[in-house]
């Protein structure tokens, strides 16, 4: 079966996480992704957080599936000539270098357009135009500057970053959407275009509800926050612990075994539509009609007490038992799954969201497959390339170089 992006060729100048997540997604959709790496060095993540000596790290392998790797010194004269030919032969160039790096190599956007007017040139940067546009940025800098850290954690604790890589993988996802949208427009216009995704913007996009709450704060306390009614609100959105970001209050509650198991918890949402079912299951039927509890408005000032009461019930069940009882009652809830449990979850294996991949030097490992499922373009996850594994193949197949020409570029030290 064909793939959605068959025939699309990507010149992949990405490294670390944000850019590679984008090009990995495009590769899963069928694009031919040519990862260009510095000779002898490669993507820095190949050697970072290694679990096995001298073997590409899981950090690298889990972000670079389904790609080909070639080495090329793009600052070398002969390397620049090869790069120019690659720009002519590819549809999209993706990069996430520090600001200005591609310009310094001699390939600003204007030059790329001259070489190939159909080329889509897509970049991740930490910040968009403004005071920080020249700054290097990693994940947690984006979380801190995009509004996530100041609104995450508990009221009495410091700003907190989340374990989800919303700055890196979140921005990679946005960039991938920008690229396929630009490819779609190119079908009509015949022209390439510049695609930019800033990590700060991408994090803020995911913190939309917090900007909503910043404006609501001008009109009174945020009644679904744990600070209401007894705590204090300042002039900025506070950290809301485990409160739900929506109109249906929620909290993380202890389940049986919480004393020894750090993940024996369940997320419990007191959705208004199922309030009678909640009251019945926890043995508080009198709350169904009691005006002090019967409406969402009446419940808001008592959420701490209500969740403490529900917790007395959840503590009598393990998280799976609680889920099994609550789900048939349509009460929205979810067990806190450890990464060990996620890795072993059969349904995630069945859908290819968690996949086992074989690698020639590290052996078998688990990875996260394509989270986006297309019925006509199934994704199979193939291993990440070794450094420079496809250099000659790409120079021959994509650029049509002869053996003698390849030997010349190699002798010059450009590949
Ligand atoms: C992630 C980041 C902080 C890493 O910084 P870094 O390790 O110093 O890497 P840089 O991007 O600055 O690249 C280093 C140099 O290698 C050079 N280089 C990279 N690939 C090369 C190649 N194939 N041939 C020759 N030179 C190469 C670059 O041109 C750059 O040189 P310059 O500084 O002379 O311009 C930075 O790239 C960045 O801010 N990127 C944008 C935001 C981003 O994506 N962050 C998320 C990371 S998950």
């Amino acid at each position: 079966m064909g793939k959605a992006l068959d025939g699309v060729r990507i010149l992949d100048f990405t490294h670390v996480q944000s850019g590679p997540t984008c090009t990995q997604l495009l590769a899963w959709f069928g694009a031919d992704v040519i990862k260009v790496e510095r000779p002898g060095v490669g993507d820095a993540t190949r050697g970072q957080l290694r679990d096995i000596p001298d073997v590409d790290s899981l950090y690298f392998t889990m972000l670079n599936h389904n790609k080909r790797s070639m080495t090329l010194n793009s600052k070398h004269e002969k390397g620049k000539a090869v790069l120019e030919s690659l720009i002519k032969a590819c549809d999209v160039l993706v990069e996430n270098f520090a600001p200005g790096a591609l310009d310094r190599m001699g390939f600003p956007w204007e030059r790329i357009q001259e070489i190939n007017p159909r080329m889509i040139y897509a970049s991740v940067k930490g910040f968009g135009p403004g005071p920080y546009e020249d700054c290097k940025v990693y994940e947690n800098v984006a979380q801190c500057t995009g509004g996530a850290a100041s609104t995450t954690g508990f009221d009495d604790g410091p700003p907190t970053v989340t374990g989800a890589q919303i700055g890196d993988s979140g921005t990679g996802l946005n960039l991938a959407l920008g690229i396929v949208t630009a490819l779609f427009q190119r079908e009509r216009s015949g022209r390439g275009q510049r695609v930019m995704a800033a990590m700060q913007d991408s994090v803020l996009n995911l913190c939309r509800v917090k900007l909503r709450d910043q404006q609501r704060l001008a009109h009174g306390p945020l009644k679904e926050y744990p600070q209401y009614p007894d705590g204090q609100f300042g002039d900025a959105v506070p950290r809301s612990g485990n409160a739900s970001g929506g109109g249906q209050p929620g909290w993380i509650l202890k389940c049986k075994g919480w004393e020894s198991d750090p993940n024996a918890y369940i997320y419990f949402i007191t959705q208004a539509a199922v309030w009678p079912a909640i009251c019945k299951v926890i043995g508080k039927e009198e709350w169904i009609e009691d005006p002090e509890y019967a409406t969402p408005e009446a419940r808001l000032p008592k959420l701490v007490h209500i969740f403490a009461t529900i917790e007395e019930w959840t503590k009598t069940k393990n998280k799976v038992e609680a889920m099994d009882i609550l789900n048939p009652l349509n009460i929205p809830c979810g067990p806190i799954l450890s990464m060990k449990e996620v890795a072993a979850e059969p349904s995630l294996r069945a859908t290819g969201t968690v996949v086992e991949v074989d690698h020639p030097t590290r052996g078998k490992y688990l990875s996260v497959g394509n989270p986006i499922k297309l019925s006509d373009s199934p994704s199979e996850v193939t291993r990440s390339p070794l450094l420079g594994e496809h250099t000659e193949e790409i120079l021959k197949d994509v650029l049509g170089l002869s053996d003698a020409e390849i030997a010349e570029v190699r002798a010059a030290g450009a590949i």
Side-chain angles (χ1 to χ4, degrees), residues 214 217 222 233-239:
Q214 182 61 43
L217 196 54
L222 304 169
F233 285 91
D235 60 2
V237 174
R239 296 185 260 291

Side-chain angles (χ1 to χ4, degrees), residues 13 15-18 36-38 72-75 96-99 101 104-105 124-126 135-138 168 199:
F13 256 118
H15 65 155
V16 203
Q17 183 175 168
S18 64
V36 180
E37 300 181 77
R38 236 184 313 183
L72 179 74
N73 182 349
S74 51
K75 288 182 172 165
N96 68 312
F97 289 129
R104 288 190 287 278
M105 279 179 203
V124 170
K125 294 290 166 256
C135 297
K136 285 185 175 179
V137 168
Y138 283 106
D168 281 339
M199 294 169 70

Side-chain angles (χ1 to χ4, degrees), residues 287-343:
W287 280 1
I288 299 174
E289 301 293 340
D290 184 343
E292 284 294 309
Y293 294 91
T295 64
E297 293 70 31
R299 292 194 288 272
L300 280 175
K302 305 182 196 71
L303 287 178
V304 172
H305 160 64
I306 288 171
F307 281 120
T309 308
I310 298 173
E311 191 170 61
E312 289 310 309
W313 177 81
T314 56
K315 276 181 0 194
T316 66
K317 316 276 175 243
N318 72 40
K319 63 189 177 188
V320 177
E321 287 166 355
M323 179 83 174
D324 288 346
I325 295 168
L326 297 170
N327 249 350
L329 301 173
N330 273 334
I331 299 170
C333 59
I336 308 304
L337 295 184
S338 69
M339 206 36 81
K340 186 176 172 194
E341 289 166 322
V342 168

Side-chain angles (χ1 to χ4, degrees), residues 52-65:
I52 304 174
D54 303 324
V55 167
D56 284 338
S57 70
L58 286 167
Y59 195 7
F60 177 84
T61 52
M62 291 175 72
L63 287 164
N64 290 285
H65 292 112

